[in-house]
Amino acid sequence: MSDKTTVGVGMVGYAFMGRVHSQAWRSVGAFFDLPLVPRMAVLAGRSKERTEAAAAQLGWADVETDWRELVRRDDVQIVDICTPGDSHAEIAIAALQAGKHVICEKPLANTVAEAEAMVAAAAGAAGKSMVAFNYRRVPAVALARRYVEDGRIGEIRHVRAAYLQDWIVDPEFPLVWRLQKDKAGAGALGDIGSHIVDAAQFITGELVVGVSALTETFIKERPLAEESAGLAATGSATKGPVTVDDAALFIGRLSGGGLASFEATRFANGRKNAMRMEIFGSRGSLAFDFEAMNELWVSSGGGGFERILVTEPDHPYAGAWWPPGHGLGYEHTFTHEVRDFLEAVATGADPTPSFADGLRVQRVLAAVEQSAAEDSRYTNVED
Amino acid sequence: MSDKTTVGVGMVGYAFMGRVHSQAWRSVGAFFDLPLVPRMAVLAGRSKERTEAAAAQLGWADVETDWRELVRRDDVQIVDICTPGDSHAEIAIAALQAGKHVICEKPLANTVAEAEAMVAAAAGAAGKSMVAFNYRRVPAVALARRYVEDGRIGEIRHVRAAYLQDWIVDPEFPLVWRLQKDKAGAGALGDIGSHIVDAAQFITGELVVGVSALTETFIKERPLAEESAGLAATGSATKGPVTVDDAALFIGRLSGGGLASFEATRFANGRKNAMRMEIFGSRGSLAFDFEAMNELWVSSGGGGFERILVTEPDHPYAGAWWPPGHGLGYEHTFTHEVRDFLEAVATGADPTPSFADGLRVQRVLAAVEQSAAEDSRYTNVED
Amino acid sequence: MSDKTTVGVGMVGYAFMGRVHSQAWRSVGAFFDLPLVPRMAVLAGRSKERTEAAAAQLGWADVETDWRELVRRDDVQIVDICTPGDSHAEIAIAALQAGKHVICEKPLANTVAEAEAMVAAAAGAAGKSMVAFNYRRVPAVALARRYVEDGRIGEIRHVRAAYLQDWIVDPEFPLVWRLQKDKAGAGALGDIGSHIVDAAQFITGELVVGVSALTETFIKERPLAEESAGLAATGSATKGPVTVDDAALFIGRLSGGGLASFEATRFANGRKNAMRMEIFGSRGSLAFDFEAMNELWVSSGGGGFERILVTEPDHPYAGAWWPPGHGLGYEHTFTHEVRDFLEAVATGADPTPSFADGLRVQRVLAAVEQSAAEDSRYTNVED
Amino acid sequence: MSDKTTVGVGMVGYAFMGRVHSQAWRSVGAFFDLPLVPRMAVLAGRSKERTEAAAAQLGWADVETDWRELVRRDDVQIVDICTPGDSHAEIAIAALQAGKHVICEKPLANTVAEAEAMVAAAAGAAGKSMVAFNYRRVPAVALARRYVEDGRIGEIRHVRAAYLQDWIVDPEFPLVWRLQKDKAGAGALGDIGSHIVDAAQFITGELVVGVSALTETFIKERPLAEESAGLAATGSATKGPVTVDDAALFIGRLSGGGLASFEATRFANGRKNAMRMEIFGSRGSLAFDFEAMNELWVSSGGGGFERILVTEPDHPYAGAWWPPGHGLGYEHTFTHEVRDFLEAVATGADPTPSFADGLRVQRVLAAVEQSAAEDSRYTNVED
């Protein structure tokens, strides 16, 4: 392996997303035969002390306290953006302008305008760019896509997409950044709704062309947060307004003529990370729930649904890991993501999902917000 | 039992619904201690020969070829209407005017106007009336209602209701009456959408107050049917237009402030009778799928969902049947229905769901159709 | 139907089994096109008052307080034996000698000797005879048998059979007749172990040829029961010895070279009626759990197991009932049983499972008891 | 982290087990706050070229072609043995004698005698020792143990343990080392039967005290293997005898008075890695299947079983990883294992499972083999 070209990675942010991206960079070379070997070069964060501690724990060789410095470094060829959505555009555009390859966490940006600027920057850039909709790299989701491509499902009649979580059911859960519009852009809609819009478009190979939407914020005020890294936080006695949606429901039409429903909520008591897709076609059907992520359910239209344990050697990504029946976990979706990104960088291919794909998701979210604001009126998604 | 008062039942129609209602009337007395013993007096149908054959097989003592005659008979105190929706209003109103008790299959009628007339007739009548939303009498659904009433679920945040079938996925499936607007009133919306609207309102104890909707007819023309009893039919070479929806998706708001989604489709390939309810509340959650009708899933808000096998002696209806773990089937929901109806007739109580409940469902369906026709605009349900 | 021959049925016993058999006789004609129409002629029980009340509720035309009288009656052609095992042999032999057809509840008898006498009586009799292993008539179990017959499963390598209940976990549950060897013959072994031995032999088409066994009685003494009809009973302060097994585990060999395990227990806390079969063959596999009785799981040997909802028109028995997805319950297995019995009586065919099949199961149970008594030594089943 | 003591690890073997252990050593520090930081110092293998390639890919700093050299190195404090069972004793004893800490893959050895020698060596050694029954560190399994310890399950009445795989169903699958007694010691019994014996003893806190057993080799001869790293291999035209069991079934008694069944097979067509435990107690019950490894099913004895997604912060190990609902995979059990081992080494505690625990499992396997050889006679497990 020593004769392989290495590529330096610089990561911005080290909270939840930064931790899982680190594990991906650290592990990918042990399981995949890579054309480029990633080197975990630099981690950027605002606090020197905390960034250094994170770098030590997560395995990054150096730190920066300003992402601009990271972007400038010669030992960094790939910039991996794991910050909240409000800084995605600025960092990504700067990195692309500096000739770097960019992986950016989802949603691509907090507004369509930002996302458009990012797409423009990506279009003219030497570096490759990808938005990190990691669920595309769940083996079962990738297998679902394969089945649709192979024609096993036929014409898509109906997509049922849901992303159900419950981590803010408690009214005392504090006002973390994910509940503030200026930082997060949107609530359940942007955070997890974006995933199911992307997954639906990815698996079906179609676009959501119009939507009708309802959104709701059940708990209007929450204790101010003493923010810390990760999702966890502790609340204070003072309250502040929740400025994003707690739940977003929308129905829509697909470019192929089918119907679709989307439900993103953080109030589904007892559901922890139920990212679900149920897809009904003229020839067959598919069902998936991330809470049982190693399973894909497939019907060929008779009286049965087959539970496929997606761990066979010929299943997407699965052959790189363990024998059949030895399942994968959440983090592996990111390992697959960086593997495919490295492959694209090495071969000069355009990685997917592209920034343009991310923008398309953003436009769907924007249409959802517009519909919700206009009496749920059916709203076409801009192209 | 010989000293108990008997009550004569006259049933109109002997297709799918007539067969299952007959089994209910035939069986109910063997399992429940009834205040009134039903006598299967008369069956009405248009063809004398076929009606007589059906009566012999299903256990009815006599036949009529005109339902008006059945309504007039002195040995009939209960009229059980199992015809398509276009004749519900006429028969039910005549029966009520003749002083009979009436059970009417769902949906209550094909139009809001008809349903209003039925409610008016019921209001002034001596007889009792009920609309046969049988899924309320699935033990698991009744248990779900009990849990909401007991406060175990808390404030309802989100209802996910779906009714998924696939019996017309094949474009060669013929144009049976259920696919013709003049006979059936609506398609998936009226036939199965009505069930999930009623079930959602029943379990939550709330009303759907407004909706935004999309409907679609995927197969616009089908072979003309050589109609026969039941769902089965054979097609001819000539085609006719499908005049009802194949699928209806709508989202809405509940009277208590929660959101709800409804999906009724006959194109869910591989789903046979998946009448599903998933209800998320501030304190707990519920999930149900009729394809596993003896199970209710309950969360108390932690990391778990409990699968309750609803066959314990203290579960609704279950104690009348077999020991725990010995499940019930589809037909038992009707046995429970006629049992509760007989109880109401005997005690003078008003059975539920009432015609007014049926009208309320009809108004939701009307709002759905209006929203679908007006660009999915959010449409308030009339009260 | 009026021109069809009727056949009189006399039933002995009206507790749990009597209730479910009554429902079968009552319902079968409404769903199956029968060659012979059953007439529910006579019910026999010891107490006149209780037998009359049961007859009125369950729909029997007349009563007898001595089963010998029932056997003698000219209006009885079929004798249906629903008593505890200690009286099976006497009643069945008398009925066969009187020229009647006999359905006998399982296990066939309390001892091999009794079962042998019954087989001898059946061999020389004019009447047909059947032992009521009703689980053969679960549509999913019958479908499993069909798949094995069709060669889809290949050579049987391994059968995992379990019957898990929990109704006597509580040490205060009283000493009902099922816990007394003189009445019940055996405990979990005879009551539910017999079902899984029969089902394993039925589905595979093979015999259990030898066994090694362990049995245990966890609660040695229980409050004496104030016995009443059915399983339910109340306990007194005085205790008596439990003289049957609480659980029986045995492993064995099949005639085709495969291995098998059997576990029958009434101490599987939380399992209510989990009659399970898992069958692994050289070409495919099957899995079934009665707690989800409308489902059969089938593997063709790849990475998947297909959940088949056994409600399609071409599935065994299912076509006689409701549209796909509208499941059946426990009682329907008995309806199928009497339907097949009537068919055999009408056509002169030998119904299955025969008394000889029942004896074969009895011999397996005897080998289990012998092995358990002899240090679990492998014990061949007599032929 | 730089001020923490590091500890050098030397690993012997780099096939399936070596790959997963490497991932554990590589990842553990990023997720757990370790008292000792592992350094991946040396990898030993017979072929220099292949070992060097493996070391490069898996992240080991140096290589040795003789494990004896590895054991002698000063920069190695922990020896991790990932070879087939026939070399475990020799390597482990040498390592312990050299003052190293030892983690040894399971089963501990191929014979009881070897295992005894290892226990003796461990008893007198300065280093810590552990046998790598990784399934103890599945969060759901560790949670099951916690529930038993807390008394939630009560007295154990019945354990149903099974380990179902299907990777040698095809008679053309070649004669790899795992099918040869001299290398593997036993077949399904040793490889996977050992896991369920250990897990049953671990969760219940009891011992298997006696067994009655049947074993079988369905395919007696297989194509000779062109052996390569991992499970995969290609077969030649020449055949050789399979000298281990394909399946082993045994029933037994637990030290607390309960019964237990164990089934280990490589012929469960369609089951990939179904390591299952079902445990019934006087107060509650547990069920687990590794094919859905993030779930534990728990009953409190009523009509329900609760599916717990074992990803909550207070669940064993889970808090170190991702938010609730973001599941773990197979490899994480090893990460937890090395974490606990490092903890024990740092604190001076004795890690579990100890070599003595491994020997106890070995004695159960020996009793199984003896019973199988002696007509399934009940055989006490030596203490």
Side-chain angles (χ1 to χ4, degrees):
Chain A
M1 209 155 89
S2 52
D3 53 344
K4 282 188 184 164
T5 311
T6 62
V7 59
V9 182
M11 189 171 81
V12 189
Y14 51 80
F16 174 23
M17 280 303 111
R19 287 175 70 226
V20 69
H21 281 235
S22 298
Q23 174 71 348
W25 292 117
R26 184 191 301 118
S27 306
V28 64
F31 297 96
F32 292 92
D33 187 21
L34 299 173
L36 281 174
V37 178
R39 203 177 71 86
M40 295 170 71
V42 201
L43 177 67
R46 274 168 295 191
S47 149
K48 187 172 198 327
E49 188 185 344
R50 287 166 68 180
T51 307
E52 281 179 344
Q57 188 181 28
L58 301 176
W60 296 91
D62 200 359
V63 302
E64 295 286 356
T65 55
D66 183 343
W67 61 262
R68 289 168 194 81
E69 294 303 320
L70 179 148
V71 164
R72 269 184 218 118
R73 286 173 65 134
D74 287 340
D75 61 349
V76 168
Q77 285 84 47
I78 293 173
V79 175
D80 184 0
I81 305 171
C82 294
T83 56
D86 59 342
S87 56
H88 286 183
E90 189 180 8
I91 304 173
I93 292 168
L96 286 167
Q97 287 173 346
K100 310 299 188 192
H101 308 289
V102 176
I103 300 187
C104 182
E105 256 308 315
K106 45 55 59 183
L108 186 60
N110 280 3
T111 66
V112 167
E114 287 172 344
E116 286 172 339
M118 293 169 80
V119 169
K128 299 296 179 186
S129 48
M130 184 165 89
V131 58
F133 283 114
N134 65 300
Y135 288 103
R136 290 192 179 202
R137 267 84 183 192
V138 176
V141 172
L143 185 61
R145 170 64 190 142
R146 187 191 290 175
Y147 284 168
V148 173
E149 268 186 317
D150 290 352
R152 284 181 59 163
I153 309 305
E155 292 170 51
I156 306 299
R157 302 298 193 197
H158 190 163
V159 170
R160 304 184 70 225
Y163 203 139
L164 311 171
Q165 296 184 335
D166 74 351
W167 54 282
I168 58 172
V169 164
D170 182 357
E172 295 307 308
F173 187 92
L175 194 62
V176 297
W177 70 262
R178 285 177 192 267
L179 306 185
Q180 302 170 36
K181 188 167 182 60
D182 57 339
K183 299 221 180 61
L189 176 63
D191 184 19
I192 54 181
S194 62
H195 272 304
I196 49 176
V197 169
D198 181 70
Q201 296 189 146
F202 168 64
I203 297 174
T204 62
E206 300 189 15
L207 296 176
V208 178
V209 294
V211 292
S212 170
L214 287 174
T215 61
E216 186 60 75
T217 305
F218 298 111
I219 306 295
K220 316 288 190 197
E221 292 200 322
R222 289 180 177 276
L224 295 180
E226 188 67 41
E227 192 87 30
S228 66
L231 290 173
T234 55
S236 76
T238 319
K239 293 197 173 184
V242 176
T243 48
V244 299
D245 60 281
D246 285 338
L249 274 58
F250 46 108
I251 50 180
R253 294 188 183 274
L254 299 172
S255 46
L259 299 178
S261 67
F262 298 87
E263 298 172 75
T265 178
R266 292 160 170 170
F267 274 73
N269 222 333
R271 300 298 179 201
K272 300 303 168 180
N273 203 45
M275 185 278 207
R276 298 187 194 161
M277 303 295 298
E278 201 171 0
I279 296 176
F280 300 112
S282 59
R283 301 183 59 187
S285 299
L286 298 165
F288 171 77
D289 183 343
F290 187 79
E291 288 190 356
M293 70 169 274
N294 292 292
E295 299 173 16
L296 180 68
W297 293 76
V298 184
S299 171
S300 299
F305 258 84
E306 186 178 12
R307 188 195 75 150
I308 297 175
L309 210 54
V310 191
T311 58
E312 297 293 305
D314 61 341
H315 288 155
Y317 306 107
W321 298 95
W322 318 114
H326 297 69
L328 299 182
Y330 171 69
E331 75 191 49
H332 299 88
T333 61
F334 293 88
T335 311
H336 304 157
E337 190 167 85
V338 302
R339 182 264 191 181
D340 289 347
F341 189 74
L342 290 167
E343 196 77 33
V345 166
T347 62
D350 286 324
T352 57
S354 67
F355 277 14
D357 293 326
L359 170 59
R360 193 56 175 60
V361 171
Q362 217 70 22
R363 289 196 199 282
V364 175
L365 305 187
V368 167
E369 290 185 324
Q370 186 182 335
S371 173
E374 295 178 2
D375 226 13
S376 305
R377 195 171 51 78
Y378 185 79
T379 304
N380 290 312
V381 179
E382 279 184 66
D383 276 317
Chain B
M1 215 156 87
S2 52
D3 55 344
K4 281 187 184 163
T5 311
T6 62
V7 59
V9 182
M11 189 171 82
V12 189
Y14 51 80
F16 175 22
M17 280 302 113
R19 287 176 69 226
V20 68
H21 281 235
S22 297
Q23 175 71 347
W25 292 117
R26 184 191 302 119
S27 305
V28 62
F31 297 96
F32 293 92
D33 187 21
L34 299 174
L36 280 174
V37 177
R39 202 177 73 85
M40 296 171 72
V42 201
L43 177 66
R46 273 169 294 191
S47 148
K48 187 170 198 325
E49 188 185 345
R50 287 165 68 178
T51 308
E52 281 180 345
Q57 188 181 29
L58 301 176
W60 295 90
D62 199 1
V63 302
E64 295 284 358
T65 53
D66 183 345
W67 62 261
R68 288 167 194 84
E69 295 301 321
L70 178 147
V71 164
R72 267 181 219 122
R73 285 172 67 135
D74 287 340
D75 62 347
V76 168
Q77 284 85 47
I78 294 174
V79 174
D80 183 359
I81 305 172
C82 293
T83 57
D86 58 343
S87 55
H88 286 185
E90 189 180 9
I91 303 174
I93 293 170
L96 287 166
Q97 287 173 343
K100 311 299 188 189
H101 308 289
V102 175
I103 300 186
C104 181
E105 256 308 316
K106 44 53 60 181
L108 187 60
N110 279 4
T111 66
V112 167
E114 285 172 342
E116 286 172 338
M118 293 169 81
V119 169
K128 299 296 179 186
S129 48
M130 185 166 91
V131 58
F133 283 116
N134 65 300
Y135 288 103
R136 289 192 179 202
R137 266 86 184 190
V138 176
V141 172
L143 185 62
R145 170 62 190 145
R146 186 191 288 174
Y147 284 168
V148 173
E149 268 186 318
D150 290 352
R152 286 180 60 163
I153 309 305
E155 293 172 51
I156 306 300
R157 300 300 193 195
H158 190 162
V159 170
R160 305 184 70 225
Y163 203 139
L164 311 171
Q165 297 184 335
D166 74 351
W167 53 281
I168 57 171
V169 163
D170 181 357
E172 295 307 309
F173 188 92
L175 193 62
V176 296
W177 72 261
R178 285 175 192 271
L179 306 185
Q180 303 169 36
K181 190 169 180 56
D182 56 340
K183 297 221 182 62
L189 176 62
D191 184 21
I192 54 181
S194 62
H195 271 304
I196 51 177
V197 169
D198 181 69
Q201 296 190 145
F202 168 65
I203 296 174
T204 62
E206 300 188 15
L207 295 176
V208 177
V209 294
V211 293
S212 169
L214 286 174
T215 60
E216 187 59 74
T217 304
F218 299 112
I219 306 296
K220 315 289 189 196
E221 292 200 323
R222 289 179 178 276
L224 295 181
E226 187 68 39
E227 192 85 30
S228 65
L231 290 172
T234 55
S236 75
T238 319
K239 293 198 175 185
V242 175
T243 47
V244 299
D245 61 281
D246 284 339
L249 272 59
F250 48 107
I251 50 181
R253 294 189 183 275
L254 300 171
S255 47
L259 299 177
S261 67
F262 297 88
E263 298 173 75
T265 178
R266 293 163 170 166
F267 275 73
N269 221 332
R271 300 297 181 202
K272 300 304 168 180
N273 203 46
M275 184 279 207
R276 298 185 193 164
M277 303 294 300
E278 202 171 2
I279 296 175
F280 300 112
S282 60
R283 302 184 59 188
S285 299
L286 297 165
F288 172 76
D289 184 342
F290 188 80
E291 288 190 355
M293 69 168 275
N294 292 292
E295 300 174 15
L296 181 67
W297 292 76
V298 184
S299 171
S300 298
F305 258 83
E306 186 179 12
R307 188 196 73 151
I308 297 175
L309 210 53
V310 191
T311 57
E312 296 293 304
D314 61 340
H315 289 154
Y317 306 106
W321 299 95
W322 318 116
H326 297 68
L328 298 183
Y330 171 67
E331 74 190 48
H332 299 88
T333 61
F334 293 88
T335 310
H336 303 158
E337 191 167 84
V338 302
R339 181 265 192 179
D340 289 348
F341 189 72
L342 290 167
E343 196 77 34
V345 165
T347 61
D350 286 323
T352 58
S354 67
F355 278 14
D357 292 327
L359 171 59
R360 192 58 176 60
V361 171
Q362 216 69 21
R363 290 196 199 282
V364 175
L365 304 187
V368 167
E369 290 186 324
Q370 186 182 336
S371 172
E374 294 178 2
D375 226 12
S376 305
R377 194 172 51 79
Y378 185 80
T379 304
N380 290 312
V381 178
E382 279 182 66
D383 276 317
Chain C
M1 212 155 84
S2 52
D3 55 343
K4 280 187 184 166
T5 312
T6 63
V7 59
V9 182
M11 190 171 82
V12 190
Y14 51 80
F16 175 22
M17 280 302 113
R19 286 176 71 225
V20 69
H21 282 234
S22 297
Q23 175 70 349
W25 292 117
R26 184 191 303 119
S27 306
V28 63
F31 297 96
F32 293 92
D33 187 22
L34 299 174
L36 281 175
V37 178
R39 202 178 72 85
M40 295 171 73
V42 201
L43 177 66
R46 273 169 298 192
S47 149
K48 187 169 198 322
E49 189 185 342
R50 289 166 65 180
T51 307
E52 281 179 345
Q57 189 181 28
L58 300 176
W60 296 91
D62 198 0
V63 301
E64 295 285 355
T65 54
D66 183 344
W67 60 262
R68 289 168 193 84
E69 295 303 320
L70 179 148
V71 163
R72 267 183 219 120
R73 285 173 66 136
D74 287 342
D75 62 346
V76 168
Q77 283 85 49
I78 293 174
V79 175
D80 184 0
I81 305 172
C82 292
T83 57
D86 58 343
S87 55
H88 285 184
E90 189 181 8
I91 303 174
I93 292 169
L96 287 167
Q97 286 173 345
K100 311 300 188 192
H101 307 290
V102 176
I103 299 186
C104 182
E105 256 309 315
K106 46 52 61 184
L108 185 60
N110 279 3
T111 66
V112 166
E114 285 172 345
E116 286 172 338
M118 292 169 81
V119 169
K128 299 296 179 187
S129 48
M130 184 166 90
V131 59
F133 283 115
N134 63 299
Y135 288 103
R136 288 191 180 202
R137 266 85 183 191
V138 175
V141 172
L143 186 62
R145 170 62 191 144
R146 186 191 289 175
Y147 284 167
V148 172
E149 268 186 317
D150 290 352
R152 285 180 58 163
I153 308 306
E155 293 172 50
I156 306 300
R157 301 299 194 196
H158 190 162
V159 170
R160 305 185 69 227
Y163 203 139
L164 311 171
Q165 296 184 334
D166 75 350
W167 54 282
I168 58 171
V169 163
D170 182 356
E172 295 307 308
F173 187 91
L175 194 62
V176 296
W177 71 262
R178 286 176 191 270
L179 306 184
Q180 302 170 36
K181 190 169 179 59
D182 56 340
K183 297 223 180 60
L189 176 63
D191 185 21
I192 55 181
S194 61
H195 272 304
I196 51 177
V197 169
D198 182 68
Q201 296 190 146
F202 168 65
I203 296 174
T204 62
E206 300 189 13
L207 296 176
V208 178
V209 295
V211 292
S212 169
L214 287 174
T215 61
E216 186 60 74
T217 304
F218 298 112
I219 306 297
K220 315 289 190 195
E221 291 201 322
R222 289 180 179 274
L224 295 181
E226 187 69 38
E227 192 86 32
S228 66
L231 289 173
T234 55
S236 76
T238 320
K239 292 197 171 184
V242 175
T243 47
V244 299
D245 61 280
D246 284 339
L249 273 60
F250 48 105
I251 50 181
R253 293 188 184 275
L254 299 172
S255 46
L259 299 177
S261 67
F262 298 87
E263 298 172 76
T265 178
R266 292 163 169 166
F267 274 72
N269 222 332
R271 300 298 181 201
K272 300 304 168 180
N273 203 45
M275 184 281 205
R276 298 187 193 161
M277 303 295 300
E278 202 172 359
I279 296 175
F280 299 112
S282 59
R283 303 184 57 188
S285 299
L286 298 165
F288 172 77
D289 184 342
F290 188 80
E291 288 190 355
M293 70 168 276
N294 292 294
E295 300 172 15
L296 180 69
W297 292 76
V298 183
S299 171
S300 298
F305 258 83
E306 186 178 13
R307 187 196 76 150
I308 297 175
L309 210 52
V310 191
T311 58
E312 296 294 305
D314 61 339
H315 288 154
Y317 306 108
W321 299 95
W322 318 115
H326 297 69
L328 298 183
Y330 170 68
E331 74 191 50
H332 299 88
T333 60
F334 294 88
T335 310
H336 303 158
E337 191 167 85
V338 302
R339 181 266 193 178
D340 289 347
F341 189 73
L342 290 167
E343 196 76 34
V345 165
T347 61
D350 287 323
T352 57
S354 66
F355 278 15
D357 292 327
L359 170 59
R360 193 55 175 58
V361 172
Q362 216 69 23
R363 290 194 198 284
V364 174
L365 304 187
V368 167
E369 291 186 323
Q370 186 182 335
S371 172
E374 295 178 1
D375 227 13
S376 305
R377 193 172 53 77
Y378 186 80
T379 304
N380 290 311
V381 178
E382 279 183 67
D383 277 317
Chain D
M1 208 156 90
S2 53
D3 55 344
K4 282 187 183 164
T5 312
T6 63
V7 59
V9 181
M11 188 172 81
V12 189
Y14 51 80
F16 176 21
M17 280 302 112
R19 287 176 68 226
V20 69
H21 281 235
S22 296
Q23 174 71 347
W25 292 116
R26 183 190 304 118
S27 305
V28 64
F31 297 95
F32 293 91
D33 187 21
L34 300 173
L36 281 174
V37 178
R39 203 178 71 85
M40 296 171 70
V42 201
L43 177 67
R46 273 168 296 191
S47 149
K48 188 169 198 318
E49 187 186 345
R50 288 167 65 179
T51 308
E52 281 179 344
Q57 188 179 30
L58 301 175
W60 295 90
D62 199 1
V63 302
E64 294 286 356
T65 54
D66 184 345
W67 60 262
R68 289 169 194 82
E69 295 303 321
L70 178 147
V71 163
R72 268 182 219 121
R73 286 174 65 134
D74 286 341
D75 61 347
V76 168
Q77 285 83 48
I78 293 174
V79 175
D80 183 1
I81 306 172
C82 293
T83 56
D86 59 343
S87 57
H88 287 184
E90 189 180 9
I91 303 173
I93 292 168
L96 286 167
Q97 287 174 345
K100 310 300 189 192
H101 307 290
V102 176
I103 300 187
C104 182
E105 256 308 315
K106 47 52 56 181
L108 187 60
N110 279 2
T111 65
V112 167
E114 286 172 345
E116 285 172 339
M118 294 169 79
V119 169
K128 299 295 179 187
S129 48
M130 183 165 89
V131 58
F133 283 116
N134 65 300
Y135 288 104
R136 289 191 180 202
R137 267 86 183 189
V138 176
V141 172
L143 185 61
R145 170 63 190 143
R146 186 191 289 175
Y147 284 167
V148 172
E149 268 185 319
D150 290 351
R152 284 181 59 163
I153 308 305
E155 294 171 51
I156 306 299
R157 302 298 193 197
H158 190 162
V159 170
R160 304 184 71 225
Y163 203 139
L164 311 171
Q165 296 183 335
D166 74 350
W167 54 282
I168 57 171
V169 163
D170 182 355
E172 294 308 308
F173 188 92
L175 195 63
V176 296
W177 71 263
R178 285 176 191 270
L179 307 184
Q180 302 169 37
K181 190 169 181 57
D182 57 340
K183 297 223 182 59
L189 176 63
D191 184 20
I192 54 180
S194 62
H195 271 304
I196 49 176
V197 168
D198 182 69
Q201 296 190 146
F202 168 64
I203 297 175
T204 63
E206 300 189 15
L207 296 176
V208 178
V209 294
V211 292
S212 170
L214 287 174
T215 61
E216 186 60 73
T217 305
F218 298 113
I219 306 296
K220 315 290 189 195
E221 292 200 322
R222 289 180 179 275
L224 296 180
E226 187 66 40
E227 192 86 31
S228 66
L231 290 173
T234 54
S236 75
T238 319
K239 293 196 173 186
V242 175
T243 47
V244 299
D245 60 282
D246 285 337
L249 272 59
F250 47 107
I251 50 181
R253 294 189 183 276
L254 300 171
S255 48
L259 299 177
S261 67
F262 297 88
E263 298 171 75
T265 178
R266 291 162 171 169
F267 273 72
N269 221 332
R271 301 298 181 202
K272 300 302 168 182
N273 204 45
M275 185 278 206
R276 299 187 192 162
M277 303 294 299
E278 201 171 2
I279 296 176
F280 300 112
S282 59
R283 301 184 60 189
S285 300
L286 298 166
F288 171 77
D289 183 343
F290 188 80
E291 288 190 355
M293 70 168 277
N294 292 293
E295 301 174 16
L296 180 68
W297 293 76
V298 184
S299 172
S300 298
F305 258 83
E306 186 179 12
R307 187 196 75 149
I308 297 174
L309 210 53
V310 191
T311 57
E312 297 293 305
D314 60 341
H315 288 155
Y317 306 107
W321 299 95
W322 318 113
H326 297 68
L328 299 182
Y330 171 69
E331 75 191 48
H332 298 90
T333 61
F334 294 88
T335 311
H336 303 158
E337 192 167 83
V338 303
R339 181 267 191 178
D340 289 347
F341 189 73
L342 289 166
E343 195 76 32
V345 165
T347 62
D350 287 322
T352 58
S354 67
F355 277 15
D357 292 327
L359 170 60
R360 194 56 175 62
V361 171
Q362 216 69 24
R363 290 197 198 282
V364 175
L365 305 186
V368 167
E369 290 186 324
Q370 187 183 334
S371 173
E374 295 178 0
D375 226 13
S376 304
R377 195 172 51 78
Y378 185 79
T379 304
N380 291 311
V381 178
E382 280 183 65
D383 274 317

